[in-house]
Amino acid sequence: MVKIGDIELGEFPLLLAPMEDVSDPPFRAVCKANGADLMYSEFISSEGLIRDAIKSRQKLDIFDYERPVGIQIFGGDEEPMAMAAQIVEVANPDLLDINFGCPVKKVTCKGAGAGILKDIPKMVRLTEAVVKATRLPVTVKTRLGWDDNSKNIEEVAERLQDVGIKALTIHGRTRTQMYKGNADWSLIGKVKNNPRINIPIFGNGDICTPEQAKSARAKFGIDGVMIGRAAIGYPWIFNEIKHYLHTGKHLPPPTVEERVKVCKQHLRHSISWKGEIVGILEMRRHYANYLKGLPHIKEFRAQLVTCNTPSAVEEVLDAIALQYKDHIFERTMPLIADTTESSVHPDEVMCGFPG
C-alpha cells in the first residue's frame, strides 16, 4: 500500500499531473470518475495568492468527490511560499505540492519552478519553510536537474526527504530539455532504489499506454506514475492502465457514444463551475482531443467551437455520435523508453508540466 502521510493510495497509484489551463475541477471530475487515484490543481503562484489575485484564488477550489486531491504552488522566495502554504491549508486539500519543475522562462527567470535547480541549498531552504508552515503533507515535483551537467536528482531527493517531504514526483528530463527528447527513467529508478529513500517515488514522462506504465513499474520499481497529456480528452487512460496491470488484457477503447457522453459531462461540470459563457469558451480547447481519431471531423469541430449555448454544443455532439456510431478506434502500443532505447513522442507540452 502506497501512502503519503496518512493518505492511502493503493498498491500502484496513478496520478493526474498538474497542468496549467487543463487540470481544473471540471477536468479533474472526469478523470476521477475514470480511475485517477490522486489529482493536483493547476499550479498556483505564491505571490498571486498573497496578493489575493482572483485567478489564483479560484484555483484553490476543490470538491469532496475529488479526494484525495493536492494543491500545487510555485515561487522563488521562502516567506511568500510559507505564507501561501498557510493560505492553501485553509482550502483544506489533502496535501500541498511544490512545483520545482516548470521549465518556461517567465517562471525560471524568477528562480521558481525548474529555475531553483541551479541553487539546491535554496531549494532545500524553501522546501523546509513550506513544511514548517503547514500541517498538510508536503510533496514535490521536479526534474532530473538543470542540464546534462547537473543531473543532481539523487542528492535532491535525499535532501528534500531530510527536511520533511512525504513524496517526490520526478519528471525524467532536465530543464534545458524542456519537453524534448527521451525521458530518462533510469535516474528515476536510481532514486527509488536508493536505500536512504523511504518516501514514495512517482515517475513522470512519456507514459501514455498501459504497456508503458507496466514497463516503468517492472524496470524501475517506482511506486506509481503521473500522467499528463495522455489524459487530455482521454480520461479512460487511468482505468485502462489499472485493468491491464491486473489482468494483462486491454479494455476496449471507448466508443464514440462513450466519448460523447464524457465530453458532455465535462461540459456540464465546466458550466457549473465557471458559468455558462466562460464554461463553454474554455471547453473548446478539449473537443479536438475527445474526437481524436475520427476521420473527416474538421467540420464538426468547427461547429463546436462556434456554439454559444449548452444545447447547441450537445446537439452537435449528438450528431457526431450518430454519424460515427459504427467507427472502430485503433489502439497503438508504443513501449516506454529509458536512455538506451528509442522513445515515443513526449507527452508534455505546456507548463504546469503535464507528463
Side-chain angles (χ1 to χ4, degrees), residues 258-276:
E258 290 170 327
R259 291 169 190 250
V260 165
K261 178 182 177 181
V262 172
C263 188
K264 285 182 179 180
Q265 291 171 348
H266 193 166
L267 172 67
R268 291 164 187 166
H269 281 297
S270 184
I271 292 171
S272 175
W273 184 56
K274 302 172 184 177
E276 184 171 305

Side-chain angles (χ1 to χ4, degrees), residues 55-269:
K55 185 175 182 181
S56 295
R57 289 281 178 164
Q58 188 181 36
K59 290 179 182 179
L60 293 176
D61 287 353
I62 56 174
F63 301 90
D64 284 341
Y65 61 76
E66 301 181 79
R67 297 187 184 278
V69 61
I71 289 176
Q72 188 188 72
I73 61 174
F74 75 97
D77 295 303
E78 294 169 44
E79 185 176 357
M81 284 289 281
M83 293 174 64
Q86 293 171 343
I87 295 170
V88 166
E89 188 172 304
V90 175
N92 196 32
D94 297 284
L95 58 87
L96 186 154
D97 190 70
I98 305 174
N99 180 322
F100 286 145
C102 179
V104 301
K105 188 175 180 180
K106 68 179 181 179
V107 173
T108 61
C109 69
K110 298 177 181 179
I116 206 165
L117 288 167
K118 293 192 288 186
D119 188 346
I120 301 307
K122 182 179 180 182
M123 183 184 194
V124 173
R125 293 195 305 271
L126 195 154
T127 303
E128 185 174 20
V130 171
V131 169
K132 289 180 176 179
T134 179
R135 294 170 296 175
L136 295 169
V138 175
T139 63
V140 165
K141 188 169 191 281
T142 190
R143 289 179 170 239
L144 301 178
W146 178 260
D147 56 26
D148 285 342
N149 297 319
S150 59
K151 291 183 178 180
N152 45 21
I153 188 60
E154 293 176 81
E155 173 195 354
V156 164
E158 290 187 3
R159 295 183 67 176
L160 295 186
Q161 177 181 266
D162 289 346
V163 296
I165 71 166
K166 301 302 183 184
L168 176 66
T169 299
I170 304 169
H171 176 78
R173 292 181 174 87
T174 64
R175 186 273 171 181
T176 56
Q177 279 183 275
M178 300 294 284
Y179 301 112
K180 300 176 182 178
N182 294 353
D184 182 357
W185 281 75
S186 61
L187 279 177
I188 300 174
K190 285 184 178 180
V191 173
K192 172 57 191 172
N193 293 291
N194 179 346
R196 272 210 62 205
I197 296 296
N198 53 45
I199 59 174
I201 301 297
F202 302 115
N204 173 231
D206 299 346
I207 297 292
C208 58
T209 69
E211 288 82 3
Q212 291 171 320
K214 182 178 181 179
S215 178
R217 184 183 191 182
K219 287 183 180 181
F220 308 110
I222 38 97
D223 294 290
V225 295
M226 178 176 281
I227 298 166
R229 188 183 178 192
I232 301 176
Y234 202 84
W236 302 273
I237 185 66
F238 300 101
N239 278 334
E240 287 186 357
I241 290 174
K242 289 180 176 180
H243 184 82
Y244 186 79
L245 291 176
H246 284 108
T247 69
K249 298 179 181 179
H250 285 285
L251 286 172
T255 63
V256 172
E257 183 180 8
E258 290 170 327
R259 291 169 190 250
V260 165
K261 178 182 177 181
V262 172
C263 188
K264 285 182 179 180
Q265 291 171 348
H266 193 166
L267 172 67
R268 291 164 187 166
H269 281 297

Side-chain angles (χ1 to χ4, degrees), residues 16 26-37 39 231-232 234-235 238:
L16 173 65
F27 180 69
R28 299 197 303 261
V30 295
C31 288
K32 183 67 175 183
N34 286 279
D37 295 304
M39 304 182 295
I232 301 176
Y234 202 84
F238 300 101

Side-chain angles (χ1 to χ4, degrees), residues 276-318:
E276 184 171 305
I277 295 174
V278 177
I280 290 174
L281 286 174
E282 295 196 358
M283 188 64 193
R284 290 175 179 175
R285 65 171 68 103
H286 293 281
Y287 295 131
N289 291 289
Y290 277 112
L291 304 175
K292 187 176 180 180
L294 292 175
H296 313 298
I297 195 68
K298 184 176 180 180
E299 183 177 341
F300 281 117
R301 287 207 313 263
Q303 293 178 42
L304 286 169
V305 298
T306 57
C307 291
N308 293 316
T309 65
S311 60
V313 174
E314 295 201 12
E315 184 177 333
V316 175
L317 289 172
D318 288 339

Side-chain angles (χ1 to χ4, degrees), residues 36-57:
D37 295 304
L38 174 63
M39 304 182 295
Y40 296 87
S41 68
E42 303 170 75
F43 75 157
I44 307 173
S45 164
S46 58
E47 299 283 354
L49 281 180
I50 293 169
R51 293 195 310 269
D52 204 27
I54 293 175
K55 185 175 182 181
S56 295
R57 289 281 178 164

